Amino acid sequence: MGVDGNYKWVGKRTVRPDGTDKVTGRALFSADSSMPGMLIGKILRSPHAHAKIKSIDTSKAEKLAGVKSVVIGKDFPNLPNKTISIGILAANFSEMSDKLMARKKVLYDGHPVAAVAATTSAIADKALSLIKVEYQVLPHVIDVDEAMKPKAPLLHKKMITVGVDPAPTKASNVASRCEFGFGDLEAGFAAADVIIERTFKTKPAHQGYLEPHGAVVSVAEDGQVTIWCSSQGQFMVRSYCARLMQIDEAQIRVIPAEIGGGFGGKTVIYLEPVAMALSGRAGKPVKMTMTREEVMRATGPTSGTSIDVKLGATKDGKLTAGEAELRYQAGCYPGSPVGPGAMTAFAPYNLENVKTVGFDVVVNRPQAAAYRAPGAPMSEFAVESVIDEMAQKLGMDPIALRELNAAKEGTTAPYGPKFGPIGNEQCLEAAKNHPHYSAPLGPNQGRGVASGFWFNVGGESVASVNINTDGTAVVLSGNPDIGGSRASMAAMAAEVLGIDYDKVRPIVADTSSIGYNDLTGGSRTTFASGMAVCNAATDAVDQMRTRAAKVWDISPDAVEWSEGHARPAGPNAGDFEPMSLADIARTSAKMGGPITGRAAINAQGAAPGFGTHIVDVEVDPETGHVTVLRYTAVQDVGRAIHPSYVEGQIQGGVAQGVGWALNEEYVYGDDGCLQNTGFLDYRMPVASDLPMIDTVIIEVPNEAHPFGVRGVGEVPIIPPLGAVANAVSNAIGVRMTDLPLSPPKILAAIKNGS
Amino acid sequence: MSKHHVTSTVNGEPVEFLCEPQETLLDILRDQLDLTGSKEGCSSGDCGACSVTIDGRLVCACLVLGAEAEGRKIETIENMAEGDTLHPLQQKFLEEAALQCGFCTPGFLVAAKSLLDRNDNPTETEVRYWLAGNLCRCTGYDKIVKSVMDVAAEMRGE
Amino acid sequence: MAQIEYAAPASIKEAVGLMANGGNSARVLAGGTDLLVQLRAGRLKPGLIVDVKSIDEMCSISVNKNDFRIGAAVCGAEVNEHKRLKKAWPGVCEALDLIGSTQIQGRATLGGNLCNASPAADSVPALIAASAVATIAGPNGRRKVPVEKISKGPGKTVLKKGEIVVYFTLPKPAPRSGDAYLRMIPRTEMDIAMVGAGVSLTVDKSGTCTAARVAIGAVAPIVLLVADGAKALIGTKIDDAALNALAAAASAACNPIDDMRGTIEYRTQVAGVLACRAALIAFERTRS
């Protein structure tokens, strides 16, 4: 077995093990579970963008028949104001707690101020209406550039920018500054024949998962907590709840429900600790589910941004220097993905002189949450737009310019390390040679190209492979299956064990049934948890080899495992009839007991992914309406364990990126309140908005993974922003720098020529 | 508060339930009849995750009052397979990986079946517009649309 | 908790009685695609919901000697399945069909779209262009009101206490007539119109326009019947000069707002564009 091997199950389009439940309505998502005696919990939210809470009177609500508990901010533990690392995440629990339930101030429209649990939904609603909150409304700030101005309303009066030397003496909304890069920018720009400088803006985009957040929480009289919820990490939920509520992790069992989409938005929690507080007081289980309006008002979109890019090139197309300043909205507390944005901005390019500076800025909006390749789509949109413009100015083909300057093995990434084997050039070449790239365009049509880069992530994972006495296997892993990962785990285990895919049952285990796993995110699951599954399967194989060796009375080293059988490693090992996995499993009781392979790893060696997209659009010159005519996405995934789900990830990422580029945006009124709180006016792409999305999978294996996996989910959302903007710009002859490219904006650009 | 006594047929079975006037058919299906295959994604008719048919007509259960179900025939995702045999659309969705998280899937299947019941030879454009009221955030619709077209072709015997 | 009552009367008389006694908080439930959303969001707290879908007259389409009658509670899908109606008034049928998804089409009605009184209602400009008349039943009997006279502003209608719209009457089109409705939305489906334009016209044997009606939506507090737009077309062969005059008339009539769905500038400009495009489609249809 090697990264270039021929596989029986890896790379095959198997039917996913959880599929039937999901096409019959049987699968249980967060809102689908109920418990006897369960109460319904609901949250009262701030109607103001920024206000002091002068008082909260819950007495009338508490007296209402059917109301079993009411909580407000003071009912939650106060926690030290410092940032703690948990696995691949870092969190400030004081801030997190304040986001769950406001204490002294509300910081955005939708900020929770109180919660109730009642016997029915209608009584809970009534109870919320009986809670009287007295606010003193404060000036608010929504836009990132406005928030950075010296006289902007301050969200946090003591916030001093981190990362500036010497430290500022005055508080501001700028939480931190980060910087990456190397070389001599001045010399680089001096060597340029052409320099382009542009400012770009993007709006916050919501992850748009179809399943609203939901949880059922039961706090027993002895303090044991059981949580059924959908999240991107049952262990994340456990860690956060334990710290926020100040109880031991061992007292909390989180049982993962099926998750109806996350895309990063379910790497944080909103309801579980509130339901814990309500359930603990009421002595009954509490179910909480958000409405779509609550999801839109109060759960994390990714940051809106404002970005300056400066790029220099010689007249023959060699990039000489690249510089960017990135300003990202964090929401009400620090924590925008400006760091990864600054790291990834120029990553597809081999630059000798590069510098990116990022600012994390608080504004009166809900806290930004991760969204697919957090931070990268915006910064790479800005750079890819300038690359496109540079190609035009130089009279070069945009892919040729990218190829000439492509990052490759040995290139120092703008964020520091040298790239190992990467598929950037292969993606560009495949895009260039794709029939799409040379297809003719009609009137009012334009073609756009853009590249994308994401690190991919490793991290901590645990897996078990239990061999059953009938020759089947159960694979336990600890990451929610957000889009087919059970199928990938089963395929990898079947491949290592040498048994049929349908003899392997993959299970997503709860927090008390398996060891710690970092959450599903950053494109880590198939890589890191997949590696753990492979290692656990290999551990089981080793045990079975040892047992065969005992039977044959030879050294375990003289036993090899192939096609699901222990075999003598060669003629010198002896002449024995091979023993199948089923043979060995059947006798396990006599041979030392059950066979269970285990692996607990902190997976290292995650390898970067690159992609190049091509899109054709047509712009209606009289209305500014954009039609996406054709889309091709090329991506290096290392190894496609399940090609259909790899294609699906790419196609889904493209659709989200197209939505971000064209129509998705948050609209706030002058009062700082969100106006488009539903799917009607937060315009995600519908089926009739998109063409088929062609995918080209490139496989440059990652040597660190048993099957060569890099990861797939993040990269495909990055290039669409730049590709669509470049295509529209090319169609109308005006450079578009302000997303989304809604019809009014395009029509105005056509009219005004800028 | 006066509850309404409603008699209707759900998935071929006679059912009776009591509902408050403002309760939706989706509330009734999920909370009273334990038919949680229809999902609540928006409660405003914008996502299609609660698609069901009433007297053969495709609707969002969140935009129908429970009381309106009186005397009607309602079909949900739970009745799409016949015994242990999946409907061809269900089977095709599995084979073609036309689902990722699976939350929108019941709604898409009910809606797609409703299309193929009327038109066994839809164009890609017709499929896309018929399904425009069903949001999917995972797949980019590509494999869903292809699966529906493929099943239509199979039903035509191609 | 405020009590909500639900009733499903079987006759107009019964429905009118319920509406009259239900006071200001009584609401008609036809398709429910607006009502239930408002109910769920807490924007509306009706005391009484009157479900009119058990009333035959409101739920059927009839073809008479001189006109079509479309019950106010007939859903969009049923309207679009009616072949003769669709042949006679394709623009009206398409306008109704543009409201929401297939699922919404299984519910949404002309009566609801009109009485919700949104300036962006898709079916209303087409109905106005088609000279549709609403028959209203109330405690004092029935009256007929042209559709353009129903809305008084966003969410407001001329309906009096106890009154409900029973059906719409559309004339049988004169020979060589055609109608069309177009709207502008950012996506291809599922959006509220940023601008909408309905045009109905009739030409003589030489192809000269003899009658026309132009209505535009989402550009003012109510859907506008643009008399100057009709004037621009009548007497012409829908040539470029006529279309330019139509565009100018449509844009001049606009009195829109800036909101999350569009800007004043955009709506004003595109109203002219859509009016022209709809006129061309309607003109094309006069030949079939």
Side-chain angles (χ1 to χ4, degrees):
Chain A
M1 186 179 78
V3 290
D4 54 354
N6 286 320
Y7 302 119
K8 194 169 176 199
W9 301 109
V10 165
K12 298 298 186 298
R13 298 174 189 261
T14 51
V15 168
R16 61 196 282 174
D18 54 322
T20 300
D21 281 359
K22 286 179 179 163
V23 298
T24 55
R26 197 178 275 113
L28 296 177
F29 293 83
S30 62
D32 299 336
S33 292
S34 296
M35 290 192 74
M38 185 178 81
L39 304 173
I40 300 298
K42 297 208 181 197
I43 289 179
L44 182 69
R45 296 175 184 277
S46 165
H48 304 295
H50 195 190
K52 251 184 211 159
I53 299 174
K54 294 175 73 178
S55 66
I56 304 179
D57 181 0
T58 60
S59 56
K60 279 189 183 158
E62 282 162 33
K63 281 180 202 138
L64 184 68
V67 172
K68 300 298 176 187
S69 54
V70 181
V71 294
I72 61 171
K74 70 172 172 51
D75 298 315
F76 293 80
N78 284 320
L79 301 165
N81 188 6
K82 62 177 182 190
T83 301
I84 302 167
S85 287
I86 300 174
I88 55 171
L89 302 169
N92 178 316
F93 286 97
S94 170
E95 293 174 357
M96 194 186 289
S97 186
D98 193 55
K99 285 182 269 186
L100 284 172
M101 198 56 72
R103 309 298 211 274
K104 291 175 182 158
K105 286 212 297 186
V106 289
L107 296 165
Y108 64 94
D109 162 41
H111 199 153
V113 291
V116 303
T119 49
T120 70
S121 176
I123 294 172
D125 281 329
K126 176 75 180 169
L128 292 185
S129 74
L130 294 174
I131 297 173
K132 294 285 164 257
V133 186
E134 208 185 337
Y135 294 102
Q136 180 193 337
V137 176
L138 301 170
H140 63 270
V141 62
I142 295 290
D143 178 73
V144 64
D145 291 322
E146 292 297 319
M148 290 178 78
K149 287 182 179 166
K151 289 191 177 166
L154 286 184
L155 272 76
H156 308 290
K157 281 200 171 139
K158 291 179 185 165
M159 196 164 80
I160 300 292
T161 310
V162 174
V164 177
D165 190 23
T169 52
K170 217 174 137 232
S172 75
N173 290 321
V174 183
S176 66
R177 176 189 185 277
C178 62
E179 182 178 328
F180 299 91
F182 46 75
D184 184 343
L185 279 184
E186 208 175 315
F189 285 117
D193 297 312
V194 180
I195 293 175
I196 297 175
E197 281 190 85
R198 287 265 185 202
T199 297
F200 298 86
K201 287 214 164 201
T202 67
K203 289 281 176 70
H206 197 274
Q207 297 82 351
Y209 33 81
L210 265 289
E211 178 204 32
H213 299 263
V216 178
V217 175
S218 172
V219 180
E221 286 71 5
D222 60 0
Q224 304 249 12
V225 179
T226 311
I227 300 175
W228 293 262
C229 69
S230 95
S231 77
Q232 287 177 242
Q234 56 270 47
F235 289 93
M236 173 276 296
V237 174
R238 187 182 71 169
S239 302
Y240 285 0
C241 287
R243 281 166 179 77
L244 288 164
M245 303 307 284
Q246 294 287 292
I247 67 171
D248 295 342
E249 288 191 347
Q251 300 298 310
I252 303 177
R253 181 179 181 198
V254 182
I255 301 171
E258 296 303 329
I259 171 171
F263 315 107
K266 290 176 184 167
T267 60
V268 287
I269 54 175
Y270 299 99
L271 299 174
E272 292 81 355
V274 178
M276 274 172 77
L278 289 169
S279 174
R281 278 169 174 71
K284 291 188 170 195
V286 172
K287 181 177 192 168
M288 300 184 81
T289 46
M290 283 196 193
T291 62
R292 181 55 52 182
E293 182 185 337
E294 287 181 290
V295 172
M296 294 306 296
R297 279 173 74 199
T299 70
T302 191
S303 306
T305 68
S306 167
I307 299 169
D308 304 328
V309 175
K310 184 178 177 185
L311 186 71
T314 62
K315 58 181 183 302
D316 52 2
K318 174 81 186 123
L319 299 181
T320 58
E323 184 179 12
E325 182 182 293
L326 308 97
R327 301 167 292 271
Y328 280 35
Q329 295 164 2
C332 59
Y333 276 105
S336 77
V338 71
M343 292 160 86
T344 55
F346 290 101
Y349 302 101
N350 181 7
L351 284 167
E352 286 171 19
N353 308 295
V354 59
K355 179 180 168 187
T356 53
V357 174
F359 294 100
D360 183 32
V361 184
V362 296
V363 292
N364 292 111
R365 294 171 180 261
Q367 181 72 48
Y371 182 22
R372 260 186 147 139
M378 310 81 128
S379 67
E380 298 192 48
F381 149 65
V383 170
E384 291 301 304
S385 296
V386 174
I387 293 277
D388 193 67
E389 190 175 0
M390 183 64 83
Q392 278 172 351
K393 284 213 165 158
L394 297 171
M396 282 182 78
D397 173 86
I399 293 187
L401 177 65
R402 286 177 172 86
E403 283 184 309
L404 185 64
N405 295 283
K408 56 187 99 158
E409 183 168 4
T411 298
T412 304
Y415 55 94
K418 268 192 167 45
F419 286 126
I422 51 174
N424 192 24
E425 289 180 298
Q426 291 88 328
C427 289
L428 288 165
E429 194 182 349
K432 187 178 65 184
N433 295 331
H434 195 282
H436 180 174
Y437 197 57
S438 47
L441 287 169
N444 301 315
Q445 296 179 359
R447 176 167 297 146
V449 174
S451 287
F453 156 86
W454 181 249
F455 315 92
N456 295 324
V457 177
E460 294 177 78
S461 285
V462 176
S464 302
V465 173
N466 298 334
I467 307 296
N468 303 319
T469 52
D470 63 355
T472 60
V474 173
V475 174
L476 292 166
S477 62
N479 281 106
D481 181 350
I482 199 159
S485 64
R486 285 184 185 92
S488 298
M489 299 301 155
M492 287 187 275
E495 198 74 52
V496 174
L497 295 172
I499 60 175
D500 281 355
Y501 171 83
D502 60 11
K503 299 288 184 197
V504 178
R505 190 75 201 159
I507 297 294
V508 178
D510 69 66
T511 55
S512 299
S513 308
I514 195 166
Y516 177 82
N517 284 264
D518 282 328
L519 49 63
T520 297
S523 289
R524 71 170 286 280
T525 299
T526 310
F527 171 71
S529 289
M531 194 189 284
V533 166
C534 290
N535 292 2
T538 303
D539 182 27
V541 164
D542 289 345
Q543 293 172 39
M544 291 187 285
R545 283 173 48 231
T546 304
R547 292 187 185 193
K550 260 190 201 158
V551 173
W552 295 333
D553 196 20
I554 60 176
S555 158
D557 294 340
V559 180
E560 66 169 24
W561 189 267
S562 68
E563 291 169 14
H565 287 72
R567 303 169 198 271
N572 294 342
D575 184 16
F576 303 106
E577 195 66 23
M579 291 174 73
S580 72
L581 179 141
D583 294 337
I584 299 169
R586 198 177 304 122
T587 59
S588 58
K590 294 178 198 156
M591 296 292 296
I595 301 161
T596 296
R598 294 186 186 86
I601 61 172
N602 189 350
Q604 304 297 314
F610 288 84
T612 302
H613 293 193
I614 312 165
V615 61
D616 295 351
V617 303
E618 181 168 324
V619 180
D620 183 331
E622 290 183 317
T623 65
H625 189 270
V626 176
T627 304
V628 180
L629 301 169
R630 184 170 182 182
Y631 206 106
T632 303
V634 185
Q635 188 177 328
D636 172 26
V637 301
R639 172 78 63 207
I641 299 296
H642 194 303
S644 300
Y645 287 104
V646 167
E647 292 161 3
Q649 286 283 326
I650 294 172
Q651 289 159 341
V654 167
Q656 288 180 316
V658 169
W660 199 342
L662 288 181
N663 282 315
E664 292 179 33
E665 63 179 310
Y666 275 55
V667 183
Y668 280 88
D670 292 339
D671 58 0
C673 294
L674 185 64
Q675 294 185 337
N676 52 337
T677 58
F679 285 142
L680 181 63
D681 288 301
Y682 184 79
R683 303 184 190 99
M684 309 196 320
V686 299
S688 48
D689 291 339
L690 295 168
M692 292 297 183
I693 298 161
D694 281 349
T695 56
V696 179
I697 295 173
I698 304 288
E699 293 185 314
V700 177
N702 170 14
E703 302 286 343
H705 185 275
F707 294 106
V709 167
R710 287 179 186 270
V712 58
E714 319 292 309
V715 171
I717 200 175
I718 301 166
L721 283 68
V724 169
N726 291 341
V728 170
S729 300
N730 295 335
I732 65 173
V734 182
R735 179 61 48 185
M736 300 302 289
T737 57
D738 186 359
L739 301 186
L741 302 177
S742 56
K745 231 182 258 177
I746 291 177
L747 198 60
I750 292 171
K751 208 170 156 191
N752 304 328
S754 64
Chain B
M1 191 173 297
S2 60
K3 287 199 175 190
H4 282 259
H5 178 258
V6 178
T7 307
S8 72
T9 307
V10 177
N11 295 334
E13 301 291 331
V15 299
E16 289 180 57
F17 55 86
L18 292 174
C19 74
E20 290 172 11
Q22 75 275 18
E23 278 186 297
T24 65
L25 176 60
L26 182 61
D27 295 334
I28 301 299
L29 290 173
R30 290 180 52 82
D31 299 340
Q32 288 203 41
L33 305 180
D34 287 334
L35 295 170
T36 56
S38 305
K39 305 300 179 192
E40 181 165 335
C42 70
S43 274
S44 56
D46 295 306
C47 81
C50 64
S51 296
V52 300
T53 60
I54 301 182
D55 292 342
R57 187 80 74 195
L58 183 69
V59 299
C60 288
C62 73
L63 291 186
V64 178
L65 292 178
E68 292 183 74
E70 174 66 36
R72 311 271 181 188
K73 287 194 175 67
I74 292 148
E75 292 285 325
T76 72
I77 183 66
E78 284 88 350
N79 202 37
M80 195 159 161
E82 284 186 36
D84 63 356
T85 306
L86 294 177
H87 185 279
L89 279 163
Q90 293 173 311
Q91 189 60 37
K92 187 64 76 182
F93 269 47
L94 288 181
E95 289 164 6
E96 297 299 318
L99 63 148
Q100 282 177 37
C101 79
F103 189 81
C104 70
T105 309
F108 267 100
L109 286 166
V110 169
K113 178 174 181 292
S114 161
L115 169 63
L116 297 187
D117 286 348
R118 284 167 173 72
N119 178 1
D120 71 356
N121 196 9
T123 63
E124 182 190 330
T125 302
E126 284 170 338
V127 172
R128 288 186 179 277
Y129 275 88
W130 185 275
L131 296 176
N134 291 83
L135 284 175
C136 170
R137 194 62 159 170
C138 295
T139 65
Y141 306 103
D142 185 294
K143 292 180 191 302
I144 293 173
V145 173
K146 277 193 186 121
S147 295
V148 176
M149 305 279 295
D150 285 356
V151 170
E154 284 169 18
M155 286 168 67
R156 296 193 303 272
E158 289 173 15
Chain C
M1 256 149 287
Q3 300 246 338
I4 302 181
E5 297 294 331
Y6 167 89
S11 70
I12 294 289
K13 193 178 167 200
E14 203 185 332
V16 166
L18 284 162
M19 289 298 294
N21 293 331
N24 294 332
S25 68
R27 285 288 182 282
V28 172
L29 168 64
T33 55
D34 289 310
L35 182 71
L36 263 70
V37 175
Q38 290 162 4
L39 195 65
R40 196 71 164 194
R43 288 200 296 273
L44 193 68
K45 294 190 167 66
L48 173 65
I49 293 171
V50 179
D51 181 353
V52 294
K53 290 191 295 300
S54 301
I55 303 170
D56 284 344
E57 195 180 5
M58 293 188 71
C59 295
S60 53
I61 301 173
S62 60
V63 186
N64 306 311
K65 191 169 168 235
N66 296 320
D67 57 30
F68 294 92
R69 274 188 194 184
I70 311 171
V74 176
C75 75
E78 206 177 325
V79 169
N80 272 282
E81 285 160 10
H82 198 285
K83 292 202 172 77
R84 288 180 69 183
L85 183 58
K86 200 161 180 182
K87 187 161 190 315
W89 290 106
V92 170
C93 294
E94 284 162 7
L96 181 55
D97 187 46
L98 285 174
I99 302 169
S101 59
T102 317
Q103 288 87 339
I104 300 295
Q105 284 299 305
R107 298 277 292 168
T109 66
L110 286 175
N113 201 221
L114 177 64
C115 295
N116 188 50
S118 159
D122 280 309
S123 69
V124 177
L127 284 173
I128 292 175
S131 308
V133 173
T135 293
I136 296 167
N140 300 320
R142 296 194 171 199
R143 59 186 179 122
K144 289 181 182 292
V145 179
V147 168
E148 61 268 29
K149 300 254 161 66
I150 297 281
S151 177
K152 291 197 296 183
K156 291 186 193 126
T157 68
V158 297
L159 294 184
K160 298 186 190 113
K161 193 173 162 184
E163 284 191 326
I164 53 178
V165 175
V166 182
Y167 60 83
F168 296 91
T169 311
L170 271 70
K172 289 268 180 74
R176 294 177 303 280
S177 293
D179 79 324
Y181 172 78
L182 292 174
R183 66 163 183 198
M184 177 60 211
I185 54 171
R187 293 184 289 189
T188 53
E189 261 286 9
M190 304 305 290
D191 290 334
I192 305 290
M194 303 162 86
V195 188
V199 175
S200 157
L201 50 82
T202 304
V203 297
D204 63 18
K205 282 181 181 161
S206 74
T208 302
C209 179
T210 56
R213 279 168 73 90
V214 175
I216 51 177
V219 293
I222 60 168
V223 176
L224 301 174
L225 178 63
V226 187
D228 287 348
K231 273 188 209 155
L233 297 175
I234 294 169
T236 77
K237 294 192 170 178
I238 321 295
D239 49 20
D240 285 351
L243 291 170
N244 287 340
L246 169 62
S251 292
C254 293
N255 176 26
I257 54 167
D258 276 328
D259 69 4
M260 63 178 165
R261 290 168 186 154
T263 60
I264 292 170
E265 189 190 2
Y266 184 80
R267 288 180 153 126
T268 306
Q269 192 176 343
V270 174
V273 172
L274 292 190
C276 291
R277 290 182 180 181
L280 283 171
I281 295 170
F283 184 52
E284 184 63 34
R285 285 174 174 165
T286 62
R287 291 173 201 162
S288 59

